[in-house]
């Protein structure tokens, strides 16, 4: 995002022009910024460990145009469900370019996952015997919960440690790989995902060390090689102005060093190092463009916009901070204001008290920053307020990559029994 005088520009286009052309609310993604984020991260890790690969966790922002950008940059896909596998396949990713990291899978999930031929990453030892009923994959990976997790977003997205629902307890990891080896599986990988949005660079080598101590012993004991070790996502971004960014170089250098040391300590044939970040690629490349529709002076002054918690749920769900800019008024005198969406829920009053331009008025365009990750993908249709449009901008050009929902979308797939329609 840049400023042309007081005008907010996204990827070379005025936010007001986007609002005019596509309506509001609209998610806007800056293609060049996604590519730059990817390249910066890839170079940081590959410099210290050349046999390195990223898988993009498509849950973060699943628009096929965005997944294609990351595919073009060289990423595979990390998928949480069979439908995400289908999405990855629809953009040309298949086989070992796709990792299936679902949890609490149904038999149908297992069967379809197996048939899809992607890398199966099992979240629990109990899934393996169920999977073996349907077939024996050539390769298997297990998701390990190394007993420790972390996240700037808080407990909500701390995806490992004793309080998390994910991964295999360290005590069961050896048993899991032994069961897989005994079943005739020949190729192995290992995985963990310990948290999301972590800006503490030293955490990445620390958690890598924990995983490698578990996996190293398994490799030694069972005499198996690991073709890859996947450290999960978690590379964080700052959300608040002035918040310290992740020192990517330090995280990458420390992680690679720890990884190599542990491989040597346990005599592991060096596996490919994988990571599957998502927020780091798309988070700060996505913006939400909305409009002020009404202003109320009640117990306090509240600015009503079309950016409700159904459009961007992170503030209501996690108490997350998202910075807000007001087009044309950023340099105007500020005062403490509230800001909300149009839903019949008080959690939709997602900014209670923030210094915003005092003269905010009806028709103003607001831009919410860092909305690219877990924004559209977590949106829903509550109150008949439908999902936003998505637009991609690239060096001054814009293109619609998802239509705004309509009433027909809202009622699609519903059925009214005949006797009720009388
Ligand atoms: N791999 C797996 C298996 C995951 O579950 C996730 C995210 C990722 C990779 C990507 O993680 P990242 O690099 O983006 O941290 N909705 C929350 C975040 C939930 C993360 C879920 N898993 C939020 O809005 O902060």
């Amino acid at each position: 995002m840049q400023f042309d005088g007081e005008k907010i520009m996204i990827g070379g286009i005025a936010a007001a022009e986007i609002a005019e052309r596509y309506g509001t609310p609209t998610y806007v993604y800056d293609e060049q910024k996604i590519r730059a984020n990817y390249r910066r991260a890839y170079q940081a890790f590959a410099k210290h460990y050349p046999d390195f690969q990223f898988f993009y966790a498509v849950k973060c922002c699943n628009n096929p145009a965005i997944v294609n950008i990351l595919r073009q940059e060289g990423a595979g896909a990390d998928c949480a469900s069979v439908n995400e596998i289908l999405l990855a396949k629809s953009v040309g990713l298949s086989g070992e370019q796709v990792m299936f990291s679902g949890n609490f899978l149904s038999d149908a999930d297992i069967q379809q996952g197996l048939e899809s031929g992607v890398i199966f990453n099992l979240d629990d030892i109990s899934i393996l015997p169920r999977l073996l009923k349907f077939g024996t994959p050539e390769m298997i990976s297990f998701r390990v919960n190394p007993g420790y997790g972390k996240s700037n977003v808080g407990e909500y997205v701390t995806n490992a440690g004793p309080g998390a629902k994910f991964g295999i307890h360290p005590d069961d990891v050896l048993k899991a790989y032994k069961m897989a080896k005994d079943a005739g599986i020949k190729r192995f990988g290992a995985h963990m995902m310990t948290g999301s949005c972590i800006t503490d660079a030293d955490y990445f080598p620390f958690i890598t060390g924990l995983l490698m101590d578990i996996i190293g012993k398994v490799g030694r004991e069972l005499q198996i090689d690991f073709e890859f070790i996947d450290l999960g996502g978690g590379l964080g971004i700052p959300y608040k102005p002035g918040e310290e960014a992740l020192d990517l170089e330090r995280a990458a250098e420390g992680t690679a060093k720890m990884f190599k040391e542990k491989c040597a300590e346990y005599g592991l044939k060096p596996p490919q190092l994988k990571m599957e970040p998502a927020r780091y690629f798309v988070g700060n490349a996505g913006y939400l463009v909305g409009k002020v529709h009404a202003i109320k002076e009640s117990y306090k002054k509240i600015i009503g916009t079309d950016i409700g918690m159904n459009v961007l749920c992170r503030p209501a769900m996690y108490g997350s901070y998202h910075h807000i800019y007001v087009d044309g008024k950023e340099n105007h005198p500020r005062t403490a204001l509230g800001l909300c969406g149009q839903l019949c829920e008080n959690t939709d009053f997602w900014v209670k008290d923030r210094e915003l331009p005092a003269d905010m008025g009806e028709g103003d365009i607001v831009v919410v920053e860092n909305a690219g990750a877990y924004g559209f993908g977590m949106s829903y249709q509550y109150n008949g307020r439908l999902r936003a449009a998505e637009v991609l901008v690239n060096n001054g050009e814009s293109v619609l990559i998802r239509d705004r929902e309509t009433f027909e979308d809202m009622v699609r797939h519903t059925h009214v029994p005949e006797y009720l329609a009388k």
Side-chain angles (χ1 to χ4, degrees), residues 79-366:
C79 299
S81 63
V82 169
N83 286 321
E84 286 193 350
I85 295 176
L86 293 176
L87 181 93
K89 288 201 165 177
S90 77
V91 306
L93 291 168
S94 62
E96 292 179 15
Q97 290 306 308
V98 180
M99 176 92 130
F100 182 21
S101 291
N103 64 99
F104 296 94
L105 301 179
S106 68
D107 280 357
D109 292 331
I110 293 174
Q111 226 172 329
Q112 289 170 50
L114 206 52
E115 279 161 18
S116 72
V118 302
I119 303 173
F120 231 119
N121 181 40
L122 303 188
D123 183 62
D124 189 35
I125 190 167
S126 67
I127 309 285
L128 184 59
R130 291 176 54 216
L131 181 144
L132 292 170
K133 280 196 291 190
F134 298 109
T136 307
E138 202 185 303
M139 172 166 359
I140 204 84
S141 168
F142 287 101
R143 176 172 179 163
V144 176
N145 180 340
Y148 199 91
K150 190 170 186 158
S151 170
N152 291 0
V153 188
E155 266 300 299
Y156 305 106
V157 293
T158 300
N159 296 333
K165 71 165 183 160
F166 304 103
I168 300 181
H169 190 281
D171 292 350
D172 287 334
V173 177
L174 178 68
K175 202 158 74 186
Y177 282 98
K178 180 158 183 345
M179 200 191 279
K181 190 183 173 195
D182 291 347
I185 296 173
K186 301 257 171 333
R187 300 172 60 205
F188 302 95
H191 174 273
M192 71 174 171
M193 168 74 193
T194 61
S196 188
C197 202
I198 300 145
T199 48
D200 169 6
D202 295 336
Y203 177 71
F204 293 95
F206 161 73
I207 201 74
T208 301
L210 289 192
L211 175 70
M212 293 304 284
D213 281 335
I214 298 166
I215 290 304
K217 286 177 196 145
V218 171
R220 205 154 58 183
E221 185 105 355
L222 298 181
Q223 293 291 303
I224 57 175
D225 292 324
F226 286 89
E227 290 192 22
F228 70 83
I229 298 214
D230 184 335
L231 305 179
L235 301 177
I237 58 170
Y239 280 87
K240 286 192 178 148
E243 190 182 330
E244 217 175 300
L246 169 69
D247 183 342
L248 187 69
E249 291 299 325
R250 186 182 170 96
E253 187 177 355
T255 302
K257 185 166 172 282
M258 176 66 80
F259 191 69
K260 285 187 268 194
E261 279 172 13
K262 291 289 177 188
C263 286
E265 183 181 334
Y266 291 100
L268 291 181
K269 190 168 134 205
Q272 183 183 56
L273 180 58
K274 288 189 200 292
M275 283 185 82
E276 46 191 40
R279 188 190 314 260
Y280 193 85
F281 301 148
V282 297
N284 70 1
Y287 306 84
L288 188 47
V289 176
K291 191 184 250 182
V292 175
H293 291 285
I295 295 181
K296 160 185 256 184
E297 303 257 10
S298 178
Y299 290 93
K300 59 164 73 165
K301 188 167 174 182
I302 308 173
I303 312 294
T305 75
D306 47 23
I307 301 180
M309 71 185 204
N310 65 313
V311 177
L312 179 70
C313 79
R314 299 188 75 255
M317 197 161 168
Y318 309 128
S320 302
Y321 181 94
H322 280 266
H323 201 67
I324 296 160
Y325 293 89
V326 183
D327 192 41
K329 296 190 172 169
E330 275 301 299
N331 298 325
H332 292 200
R334 293 185 169 244
T335 190
L337 295 171
L339 185 141
C340 65
Q342 299 160 309
L343 266 58
C344 303
E345 291 279 345
N346 215 36
T347 38
D348 193 45
F349 187 8
W350 59 277
V351 175
K352 283 271 155 58
D353 197 13
R354 195 178 297 179
E355 293 288 313
L356 289 163
D359 60 343
M360 278 183 85
E362 290 168 14
D364 277 353
I365 298 300
V366 294

